Amino acid sequence: MIGTFADDTAILTSYTNVLQASTTLQEYLHIFNRWLQKWKIKVNETKSSYLTFTLRNDPSPLIYLNEVVIPPAKTVKYLGLHLDTKLNWREHITKKRKQMDLRYKELYWLLGRSSHLSINNKLLLYKTVIAPIWTYGLELSGCASKSNIATIQRFPSKLLVLRAIVNAPWYITNAMIHSDLGIPTVQDVIHDRSNKHRAKLQSHPNPLLQTISRDNIPRRLKRRWPTYL
């Protein structure tokens, strides 16, 4: 299967055996390389990445494109999502957390307690600048473990973003701040967005996407969807 978006191309193959999956992928890369040569398209092989999604510790064989080894990776970034070998989303959430920390430091002079900006304008900045960082791709990354989800939840609460916006004293709970500001918790956002995403998949004209929303997909170990939360 090939997934393309703008200048990003992802080639995927699946099999129960890592060796067979790698062999199938290598056979296609030979065909792909002939297509590149025919149309005189130059690919930077060193900027490509090869990632195996598996819970096993079996080593994956090397993959070649144009007789150049594609570097194997533990994580890759594709369309803003950081994918790791076990799909636990830990790397993705860690990156998003650091990105939110950096963005909050840049806007502290506007969102901090000493800022004279109105609460409505502070909330507008939070919703348009900071919130989109952790909500992007939440329909998929929302199935991460509770500890990883808590990493996101602690940012808008205990790292004083929302508390700084309203200049709340220490005895005001985070739940009260969420309620008074009308800001849903991370778990609420995950549940709402994943339900909407799943409803769209069920009515999507692409039959490949329709199969994703079905409940008869083989479950491995404790696989869960965000809608189960």
Side-chain angles (χ1 to χ4, degrees):
M1 180 184 294
I2 301 178
T4 58
F5 184 85
D7 61 343
D8 288 319
T9 300
I11 305 173
L12 305 98
T13 182
S14 62
Y15 203 79
T16 54
N17 182 277
V18 174
L19 178 60
Q20 182 60 43
S22 301
T23 302
T24 304
L25 180 60
Q26 182 63 73
E27 292 175 353
Y28 178 79
L29 287 179
H30 290 318
I31 301 174
F32 182 59
N33 187 43
R34 290 196 295 269
W35 182 87
L36 293 174
Q37 294 176 353
K38 176 182 177 181
W39 294 100
K40 295 180 173 55
I41 298 177
K42 176 62 178 176
V43 174
N44 190 340
E45 296 84 0
T46 59
K47 288 189 176 180
S48 302
S49 297
Y50 168 51
L51 181 65
T52 301
F53 300 102
T54 179
L55 295 178
R56 302 172 183 174
N57 295 324
D58 300 337
S60 302
L62 296 177
I63 295 296
Y64 297 85
L65 178 60
N66 195 24
E67 300 182 356
V68 178
V69 176
I70 298 180
K74 295 295 183 181
T75 60
V76 296
K77 182 181 179 181
Y78 182 65
L79 300 182
L81 296 176
H82 298 269
L83 307 175
D84 55 87
T85 56
K86 297 184 179 180
L87 288 179
N88 56 24
W89 300 103
R90 184 179 304 167
E91 180 72 14
H92 176 76
I93 292 177
T94 301
K95 294 289 187 181
K96 292 299 179 181
R97 176 63 184 268
K98 292 181 179 180
Q99 188 178 353
M100 287 189 293
D101 290 342
L102 179 61
R103 193 58 53 86
Y104 177 61
K105 291 179 181 179
E106 294 174 349
L107 296 176
Y108 181 78
W109 65 286
L110 290 174
L111 298 177
R113 296 178 181 271
S114 59
S115 173
H116 298 291
L117 210 62
S118 65
I119 293 180
N120 289 335
N121 287 330
K122 289 182 179 181
L123 286 177
L124 182 62
L125 284 174
Y126 169 78
K127 293 178 180 179
T128 56
V129 179
I130 297 180
I133 296 176
W134 64 268
T135 56
Y136 177 76
L138 205 61
E139 295 84 353
L140 299 176
S141 60
C143 61
S145 64
K146 293 182 179 179
S147 59
N148 287 330
I149 296 298
T151 301
I152 303 178
Q153 176 61 41
R154 285 193 296 267
F155 177 82
S157 299
K158 295 183 180 180
L159 278 189
L160 307 180
V161 180
L162 296 181
R163 303 188 71 91
I165 288 177
V166 296
N167 195 18
W170 63 270
Y171 53 84
I172 300 297
T173 64
N174 294 329
M176 293 178 60
I177 296 176
H178 277 282
S179 177
D180 292 343
L181 295 180
I183 301 294
T185 63
V186 174
Q187 291 285 2
D188 292 336
V189 176
I190 292 174
H191 190 71
D192 179 63
R193 295 188 60 160
S194 59
N195 277 331
K196 293 180 179 179
H197 178 65
R198 194 175 186 184
K200 290 181 180 179
L201 290 180
Q202 292 174 347
S203 59
H204 201 279
N206 190 336
L208 292 177
L209 294 180
Q210 293 177 3
T211 58
I212 298 178
S213 63
R214 297 175 183 172
D215 293 328
N216 59 356
I217 296 179
R219 297 170 59 87
R220 64 168 175 83
L221 299 182
K222 297 181 180 180
R223 174 191 287 174
R224 60 177 183 164
W225 306 110
T227 49
Y228 297 161
L229 300 179

